[in-house]
Amino acid sequence: MTVAPDVTAIASAEELREILGAPMPRAVKKERLRLHARDLDWLASAPFCLIATSDAEGNCDVSPKGDPPGFVHVIDDTTIAIPDRPGNRRADGFLNILSNPHVGLLFLIPGRGETLRINGRATLVRDAPFFDEMIVQGHRPALALIVEIEQIFFHCAKALMRSKLWKPETWEPDALPSHARIIKDVQQPEQTLEELERYYAEATYAKGLYNT
Protein backbone atom coordinates (compact mmCIF):
# COMPACT_ATOMS: atom_id res chain seq x y z
CA MET A 1 0.00 0.00 0.00
CA THR A 2 1.28 3.44 -0.92
CA VAL A 3 0.75 6.17 1.66
CA ALA A 4 0.96 9.93 1.25
CA PRO A 5 4.40 11.53 1.78
CA ASP A 6 3.23 13.27 4.95
CA VAL A 7 1.96 10.00 6.51
CA THR A 8 4.32 7.99 8.70
CA ALA A 9 3.64 4.28 8.36
CA ILE A 10 4.71 1.52 10.76
CA ALA A 11 6.89 -1.06 9.05
CA SER A 12 7.80 -3.60 11.72
CA ALA A 13 6.58 -5.35 14.85
CA GLU A 14 9.47 -3.77 16.76
CA GLU A 15 8.34 -0.29 15.77
CA LEU A 16 4.77 -1.12 16.77
CA ARG A 17 5.93 -2.30 20.19
CA GLU A 18 7.90 0.91 20.67
CA ILE A 19 4.61 2.77 20.44
CA LEU A 20 2.24 0.39 22.24
CA GLY A 21 4.59 -1.27 24.71
CA ALA A 22 4.35 -4.88 25.80
CA PRO A 23 0.98 -6.43 26.62
CA MET A 24 0.09 -7.00 30.26
CA PRO A 25 0.82 -10.56 31.47
CA ARG A 26 -2.89 -11.12 32.18
CA ALA A 27 -3.74 -10.19 28.58
CA VAL A 28 -1.24 -12.74 27.28
CA LYS A 29 -2.29 -15.52 29.64
CA LYS A 30 -6.02 -15.17 29.00
CA GLU A 31 -5.87 -17.21 25.79
CA ARG A 32 -7.38 -20.70 26.05
CA LEU A 33 -7.77 -23.69 23.73
CA ARG A 34 -11.14 -25.05 24.82
CA LEU A 35 -14.48 -23.86 26.12
CA HIS A 36 -14.78 -23.08 29.83
CA ALA A 37 -18.12 -23.23 31.64
CA ARG A 38 -18.22 -19.39 31.53
CA ASP A 39 -17.76 -19.49 27.77
CA LEU A 40 -20.75 -21.81 27.53
CA ASP A 41 -22.79 -19.37 29.62
CA TRP A 42 -21.79 -16.56 27.28
CA LEU A 43 -22.69 -18.47 24.13
CA ALA A 44 -26.03 -19.43 25.67
CA SER A 45 -26.80 -15.72 26.21
CA ALA A 46 -25.38 -14.24 23.00
CA PRO A 47 -27.86 -13.43 20.19
CA PHE A 48 -25.30 -11.94 17.83
CA CYS A 49 -21.83 -12.58 16.44
CA LEU A 50 -19.51 -11.29 13.74
CA ILE A 51 -17.58 -13.72 11.53
CA ALA A 52 -14.35 -12.51 9.93
CA THR A 53 -12.96 -14.44 6.96
CA SER A 54 -10.48 -13.97 4.13
CA ASP A 55 -9.91 -15.79 0.87
CA ALA A 56 -6.68 -17.39 -0.31
CA GLU A 57 -5.43 -14.00 -1.56
CA GLY A 58 -6.17 -12.24 1.72
CA ASN A 59 -9.31 -10.37 0.64
CA CYS A 60 -11.38 -9.95 3.80
CA ASP A 61 -15.03 -9.99 4.81
CA VAL A 62 -16.96 -9.63 8.06
CA SER A 63 -20.50 -11.04 8.22
CA PRO A 64 -23.06 -10.58 11.02
CA LYS A 65 -25.05 -13.54 12.32
CA GLY A 66 -27.99 -13.19 14.67
CA ASP A 67 -30.68 -15.40 16.15
CA PRO A 68 -32.33 -15.97 19.53
CA PRO A 69 -29.82 -16.25 22.41
CA GLY A 70 -28.13 -19.63 22.42
CA PHE A 71 -28.30 -20.05 18.63
CA VAL A 72 -24.73 -21.38 18.61
CA HIS A 73 -24.70 -25.17 18.96
CA VAL A 74 -21.90 -26.53 21.14
CA ILE A 75 -20.66 -29.85 19.77
CA ASP A 76 -17.92 -30.35 22.36
CA ASP A 77 -15.43 -28.25 24.32
CA THR A 78 -13.40 -27.43 21.20
CA THR A 79 -16.09 -27.29 18.52
CA ILE A 80 -19.15 -25.13 17.87
CA ALA A 81 -21.64 -24.80 15.02
CA ILE A 82 -23.35 -21.65 13.74
CA PRO A 83 -26.54 -21.98 11.65
CA ASP A 84 -27.11 -20.00 8.48
CA ARG A 85 -30.41 -18.21 7.87
CA PRO A 86 -32.02 -16.77 4.70
CA GLY A 87 -30.18 -13.70 3.45
CA ASN A 88 -29.01 -12.01 0.28
CA ARG A 89 -27.22 -15.16 -0.98
CA ARG A 90 -23.93 -13.36 -1.69
CA ALA A 91 -22.18 -15.89 0.57
CA ASP A 92 -18.98 -13.82 0.66
CA GLY A 93 -17.76 -15.34 3.92
CA PHE A 94 -18.71 -18.88 2.96
CA LEU A 95 -16.87 -18.59 -0.35
CA ASN A 96 -13.82 -17.33 1.53
CA ILE A 97 -13.92 -20.32 3.88
CA LEU A 98 -13.88 -22.74 0.95
CA SER A 99 -10.43 -21.41 0.02
CA ASN A 100 -9.17 -20.41 3.49
CA PRO A 101 -10.72 -22.04 6.59
CA HIS A 102 -9.36 -19.57 9.16
CA VAL A 103 -12.08 -17.53 10.89
CA GLY A 104 -12.37 -15.00 13.70
CA LEU A 105 -15.59 -14.76 15.71
CA LEU A 106 -16.79 -12.01 18.05
CA PHE A 107 -19.82 -12.73 20.27
CA LEU A 108 -21.81 -9.85 21.77
CA ILE A 109 -24.46 -9.68 24.48
CA PRO A 110 -26.58 -6.50 24.43
CA GLY A 111 -25.74 -4.33 27.42
CA ARG A 112 -22.41 -6.02 28.13
CA GLY A 113 -19.18 -4.23 27.24
CA GLU A 114 -17.04 -7.34 27.14
CA THR A 115 -17.01 -9.64 24.13
CA LEU A 116 -16.04 -13.27 23.59
CA ARG A 117 -13.49 -13.89 20.85
CA ILE A 118 -12.99 -17.25 19.18
CA ASN A 119 -10.46 -17.96 16.44
CA GLY A 120 -10.28 -21.26 14.64
CA ARG A 121 -10.77 -23.27 11.47
CA ALA A 122 -14.17 -23.57 9.84
CA THR A 123 -15.93 -26.17 7.73
CA LEU A 124 -19.13 -25.49 5.83
CA VAL A 125 -21.64 -28.35 6.12
CA ARG A 126 -24.99 -28.93 4.43
CA ASP A 127 -26.47 -31.35 6.98
CA ALA A 128 -25.79 -32.92 10.36
CA PRO A 129 -27.91 -34.47 13.13
CA PHE A 130 -27.64 -31.29 15.23
CA PHE A 131 -29.45 -29.27 12.52
CA ASP A 132 -32.68 -30.42 14.18
CA GLU A 133 -31.61 -28.55 17.33
CA MET A 134 -31.16 -25.29 15.41
CA ILE A 135 -34.73 -24.96 14.12
CA VAL A 136 -36.19 -21.48 14.70
CA GLN A 137 -39.75 -20.56 13.70
CA GLY A 138 -39.94 -23.78 11.73
CA HIS A 139 -36.78 -23.00 9.75
CA ARG A 140 -34.18 -25.77 9.66
CA PRO A 141 -30.90 -24.34 8.39
CA ALA A 142 -29.72 -25.48 4.98
CA LEU A 143 -26.12 -24.74 5.95
CA ALA A 144 -24.05 -24.44 9.10
CA LEU A 145 -20.51 -23.47 9.94
CA ILE A 146 -18.55 -25.84 12.16
CA VAL A 147 -15.67 -24.08 13.91
CA GLU A 148 -12.79 -25.96 15.50
CA ILE A 149 -11.52 -23.67 18.25
CA GLU A 150 -7.83 -22.79 18.23
CA GLN A 151 -7.96 -19.73 20.49
CA ILE A 152 -10.59 -18.30 22.82
CA PHE A 153 -10.63 -15.42 25.29
CA PHE A 154 -12.74 -12.58 26.67
CA HIS A 155 -12.03 -9.09 25.36
CA CYS A 156 -12.24 -6.03 27.63
CA ALA A 157 -15.05 -3.48 27.47
CA LYS A 158 -13.07 -0.34 26.59
CA ALA A 159 -14.07 -0.13 22.93
CA LEU A 160 -17.78 -0.46 23.69
CA MET A 161 -17.47 1.96 26.60
CA ARG A 162 -15.78 4.56 24.38
CA SER A 163 -18.43 4.17 21.69
CA LYS A 164 -21.32 4.17 24.24
CA LEU A 165 -22.80 1.44 22.06
CA TRP A 166 -25.39 0.33 24.61
CA LYS A 167 -26.36 3.84 25.83
CA PRO A 168 -29.78 4.55 24.27
CA GLU A 169 -29.50 8.25 25.11
CA THR A 170 -26.62 8.49 22.59
CA TRP A 171 -28.44 6.73 19.76
CA GLU A 172 -29.38 8.83 16.72
CA PRO A 173 -30.90 6.42 14.18
CA ASP A 174 -32.56 9.32 12.33
CA ALA A 175 -29.27 11.16 11.77
CA LEU A 176 -29.08 9.37 8.41
CA PRO A 177 -31.70 8.86 5.70
CA SER A 178 -33.76 5.68 5.69
CA HIS A 179 -32.15 2.50 4.38
CA ALA A 180 -34.45 2.65 1.36
CA ARG A 181 -33.23 6.18 0.59
CA ILE A 182 -29.60 5.08 0.92
CA ILE A 183 -30.15 2.10 -1.40
CA LYS A 184 -31.87 4.35 -3.94
CA ASP A 185 -29.01 6.86 -3.87
CA VAL A 186 -26.13 4.37 -3.86
CA GLN A 187 -27.37 1.53 -6.07
CA GLN A 188 -29.92 3.41 -8.18
CA PRO A 189 -32.29 0.42 -8.58
CA GLU A 190 -35.28 0.49 -10.91
CA GLN A 191 -37.74 0.46 -8.02
CA THR A 192 -39.15 3.75 -6.86
CA LEU A 193 -38.28 5.10 -3.43
CA GLU A 194 -41.84 4.34 -2.30
CA GLU A 195 -41.51 0.71 -3.42
CA LEU A 196 -38.20 0.39 -1.58
CA GLU A 197 -39.67 1.96 1.55
CA ARG A 198 -42.45 -0.63 1.52
CA TYR A 199 -39.95 -3.46 0.97
CA TYR A 200 -37.65 -2.42 3.81
CA ALA A 201 -40.47 -1.54 6.23
CA GLU A 202 -39.91 -3.58 9.39
CA ALA A 203 -43.28 -5.32 9.25
CA THR A 204 -42.66 -6.44 5.66
CA TYR A 205 -38.94 -7.12 5.86
CA ALA A 206 -39.35 -9.25 8.98
CA LYS A 207 -41.47 -11.76 7.08
CA GLY A 208 -38.34 -13.04 5.37
CA LEU A 209 -36.24 -13.59 8.50
CA TYR A 210 -36.78 -17.36 8.37
CA ASN A 211 -38.44 -17.83 5.00
CA THR A 212 -36.61 -17.98 1.69
Side-chain angles (χ1 to χ4, degrees):
M1 177 180 178
T2 302
V3 298
D6 58 347
V7 174
T8 304
I10 294 173
S12 68
E14 292 76 15
E15 187 180 359
L16 177 63
R17 283 301 174 196
E18 286 179 8
I19 298 171
L20 297 182
M24 295 184 296
R26 186 171 65 252
V28 175
K29 294 179 180 179
K30 68 181 179 179
E31 295 182 14
R32 291 170 279 108
L33 299 176
R34 56 187 65 243
L35 294 164
H36 184 278
R38 293 305 184 194
D39 302 324
L40 298 177
D41 292 341
W42 194 275
L43 292 176
S45 300
F48 182 81
C49 78
L50 297 166
I51 303 179
T53 61
S54 66
D55 64 17
E57 285 73 45
N59 301 298
C60 299
D61 180 75
V62 178
S63 298
K65 299 294 180 183
D67 245 338
F71 71 99
V72 174
H73 178 78
V74 177
I75 297 175
D76 55 42
D77 64 356
T78 61
T79 319
I80 61 174
I82 301 171
D84 186 48
R85 302 298 181 190
N88 59 20
R89 302 181 186 139
R90 282 182 57 100
D92 299 291
F94 290 157
L95 291 171
N96 285 347
I97 287 166
L98 291 176
S99 62
N100 176 8
H102 296 282
V103 297
L105 313 178
L106 189 68
F107 291 91
L108 286 82
I109 296 177
R112 287 295 296 258
E114 304 81 14
T115 55
L116 181 65
R117 291 172 57 173
I118 294 179
N119 297 317
R121 297 172 66 89
T123 302
L124 191 61
V125 297
R126 61 186 302 170
D127 200 10
F130 57 77
F131 276 36
D132 290 337
E133 300 178 39
M134 297 193 291
I135 296 174
V136 176
Q137 294 187 18
H139 180 268
R140 188 180 190 271
L143 298 169
L145 202 62
I146 295 179
V147 179
E148 299 175 49
I149 297 170
E150 296 179 330
Q151 184 186 50
I152 181 171
F153 57 91
F154 284 102
H155 193 97
C156 77
K158 289 182 179 178
L160 274 69
M161 291 173 66
R162 294 186 188 109
S163 67
K164 299 182 180 179
L165 184 65
W166 306 127
K167 300 291 185 181
E169 63 272 19
T170 70
W171 297 350
E172 295 185 51
D174 297 326
L176 296 171
S178 69
H179 185 59
R181 176 76 266 176
I182 292 173
I183 294 298
K184 186 65 176 175
D185 292 344
V186 174
Q187 298 181 215
Q188 300 181 351
E190 294 180 357
Q191 295 92 334
T192 66
L193 177 60
E194 290 72 22
E195 290 172 331
L196 291 171
E197 292 285 7
R198 286 195 297 270
Y199 175 76
Y200 288 112
E202 184 173 352
T204 303
Y205 203 51
K207 293 179 180 178
L209 291 182
Y210 294 98
N211 298 314
T212 54

